Amino acid sequence: MERFMKVYSYLPLEERKLTVLVMDGEPISWARAYKEIRDKTGLGDKILRKMAEKDII
């Protein structure tokens, strides 16, 4: 989560609206990822794993 927050904090506001990855055919924006990760949901855990796997964070 710390790596995600570090990257997210440097993103311009407009870029946070852009899709960062697609999970199960559904686009996930930076803002959506932030919300899911912040709320510690199951989807948030999957997003973190996928972003680390793809070297996004």
Side-chain angles (χ1 to χ4, degrees):
M1 182 170 167
E2 292 172 22
R3 292 186 336 197
F4 174 83
M5 295 305 290
K6 185 175 181 180
V7 172
Y8 186 79
S9 69
Y10 284 102
L11 289 174
L13 295 177
E14 287 300 311
E15 192 162 335
R16 293 177 183 184
K17 298 175 186 175
L18 300 177
T19 299
V20 64
L21 53 90
V22 176
M23 295 193 65
D24 301 324
E26 183 179 349
I28 305 291
S29 69
W30 282 99
R32 170 102 187 267
Y34 172 76
K35 182 182 181 319
E36 296 292 340
I37 292 166
R38 181 194 66 203
D39 294 345
K40 299 179 181 175
T41 66
L43 179 58
D45 291 338
K46 289 180 184 178
I47 291 169
L48 279 174
R49 281 194 303 272
K50 185 103 169 184
M51 290 178 112
E53 182 181 293
K54 301 237 181 240
D55 291 325
I56 296 170
I57 58 170

